[in-house]
Amino acid sequence: MTQEELFKVLVAHCKEYGYIFPSSEIYDGLAAVYDYGQMGVELKNNIKQYWWNAMTRLNENIVGIDAAVFMHPKTWVASGHVAAFNDPLIDNKDSKKRYRADVLIEDYLAKIEEKINKEVEKGRRKFGESFDEAKFRETNPNVLREKAHYEEVHGRYLKAEAANDLAEYRQIILDCGIVCPISGTKNWTDVRQFNLMFSTQFGSVGDEANTVYLRPETAQGIFVDYINVQKTGRMKIPFGIAQIGKAFRNEVVARQFIFRMREFEQMEMEFFVKPGTEMEWFSKWKEQRMKWHVNLGMGAENYRFHDHEKLAHYANAATDIEFNFPFGFKELEGIHSRTDFDLGNHQKLSGKKLQYFDPETGESYVPYCVETSIGLDRMFLAVLSHSYKVEQLENGETRTVLSLPAPLAPVKAAILPLVKKDGLPEIAREILRDLRCDFNCQYDEKDSIGKRYRRQDAIGTPFCITVDHQTLEDRTVTLRERDSMNQVRVPMAVLKEKINEKVNLNEILKNL
Ligand code: GAP
């Protein structure tokens, strides 16, 4: 199966097992908007809990808030979103379809890379064992021609991006002969900037003064509440404020399932520090956040940093944590040193003092800020795509299993009476009553035991507890582990302890 096919199968699996549904599907869905189903909401809540507890419980100097989605419109002037939260858009006059000009160029560049790789693969097949890839890339005329073209277009693209030169974007599209995938023509409009914020009206009068925005990031809620939290919480610098909440962006190119959505959730933490110490904190948070990811056990090799060379105007350092998604390494989390850009601008525009008085040095200053910002939905996709496996079993059958990190699994244990009679369901329900306050459990008595195991594997349940006739005699049960499929006979009395060892979130939090 190619990675692309695997991704399609994963999307179908998410729907079949109640993880993710297209929004308002009975009306044919709404582009780039998704609902989390009965399993999805549990996994999502567990990811949130892992992040929230790691931030607020493990750090004495980090507290959480929950700010409103609607904020005073001036917020977005101060943050720069009204002026500069834009995508460069271009329309094809024949198909009337709208595209992001930068994405059209990036896709074109990706195609050149693909051509080069195909050429290399051809060489590999032709020369077999003796193939020297590095030499081939340096000498093959086709590869050299494509490489030169790539460098020329890429160079122009980077310059246009840096200068925000919309006319040059269009010229690149024309010069490269990029066509609309729908109409197949090069009949393009000019490139225009398009603001990504959703707006709506407050109150009943629909004039511009009443325009409010759905927040495009949760961070600004933290910045405008900074002084309230600092004062009421008697917080001393350095300290952080964490928040989980919805954000909204009118993404033009919304694709790759829940990777890029129009309504999504962010988990953001703004850490306020003394100016001049921000680089030290930036490094600490880089290290800390990578540790949080790797601690889940999904393989350190699946993460990497991507340090930004080109910085946003407000940042003096920035990196992404990228994850190896089925469609390649892509941004999962951003870590930015945002200087005093946000607090400084809010102070100017609101006229309210947002300075911190340092009792030890007697100085007052606007704090600098280091931000960690992760998309909850992207994290969900990372966990799910990494966990999805189709395994070939020894008996020739296949099984689909979600090898989710056990503390994140929606259902921790399934309790299965072997048959629906002879008093087995009664004992199974007794176990359920005993476990359900500690763990999310499922009771299932329908179908053969094999089919029930497969259902639980497919939703990622770490443990299945089977109650059989021997249970009636000695109060022991079979405990089956999802990944190894190993079964052990254990007394009912030790179930809680055995399951807890593997699924308790605190067990992994302790390693941070
Ligand atoms: N406050 C900083 C900020 O919002 P960002 O890089 O635009 O920075 C942070 O977003 C994270 O939010 C990203 O790393 C990504 O995980 C997530 N994210 C951004 N746009 C998204 C979208 N349209 N759909 C899903 N997640 C998104």
Side-chain angles (χ1 to χ4, degrees), residues 387-406:
S387 305
Y388 180 86
K389 291 180 188 112
V390 179
E391 288 180 353
Q392 198 67 44
L393 302 180
E394 276 171 12
N395 62 6
E397 286 178 15
T398 55
R399 74 159 180 159
T400 302
V401 57
L402 284 185
S403 294
L404 299 166

Side-chain angles (χ1 to χ4, degrees), residues 299-312:
E301 70 283 3
N302 288 316
Y303 303 87
R304 70 181 185 198
F305 285 115
H306 170 230
D307 294 331
H308 292 204
E309 277 162 29
K310 188 183 155 229
L311 295 171

Side-chain angles (χ1 to χ4, degrees), residues 32 81 85 216-220 223 247-249 251 253-254 257-268 270 308 314 320-321 331-336 338 371-379:
H81 283 82
F85 195 51
E217 64 172 11
T218 60
Q220 296 305 323
F223 292 123
F248 304 83
R249 296 183 188 177
E251 300 281 2
V253 180
F257 194 32
I258 56 170
F259 184 81
R260 197 175 298 287
M261 302 156 89
R262 296 200 165 105
E263 174 180 341
F264 57 101
E265 249 176 294
Q266 289 184 315
M267 307 193 284
E268 300 200 295
E270 309 297 326
H308 292 204
Y314 54 79
D320 293 336
I321 295 180
E331 175 186 345
L332 171 59
E333 169 157 7
I335 301 165
H336 305 114
R338 293 179 75 124
E371 169 186 80
T372 75
S373 172
I374 173 170
L376 174 55
D377 312 85
R378 267 190 210 179
M379 182 62 196

Side-chain angles (χ1 to χ4, degrees), residues 51 55 62 76 79 81 85 216-224 239-243 247 249 264 266-273 277-290 293 305 308 312 314-321 331-343 346 367-375:
W51 184 88
M55 284 294 176
I62 298 183
W76 307 110
S79 68
H81 283 82
F85 195 51
E217 64 172 11
T218 60
Q220 296 305 323
I222 297 179
F223 292 123
V224 300
F239 75 91
I241 304 177
Q243 176 169 219
R249 296 183 188 177
F264 57 101
Q266 289 184 315
M267 307 193 284
E268 300 200 295
M269 194 279 299
E270 309 297 326
F271 198 73
F272 300 99
V273 305
T277 65
E278 72 276 10
M279 284 309 163
E280 191 190 317
W281 285 109
F282 178 72
S283 304
K284 275 197 186 145
W285 278 111
K286 258 179 90 168
E287 190 190 319
Q288 200 51 41
R289 291 304 303 147
M290 187 56 100
H293 284 287
F305 285 115
H308 292 204
Y314 54 79
N316 61 4
T319 195
D320 293 336
I321 295 180
E331 175 186 345
L332 171 59
E333 169 157 7
I335 301 165
H336 305 114
S337 171
R338 293 179 75 124
T339 66
D340 59 356
F341 174 83
D342 301 273
L343 288 185
H346 286 305
Y368 270 34
C369 176
V370 175
E371 169 186 80
T372 75
S373 172
I374 173 170

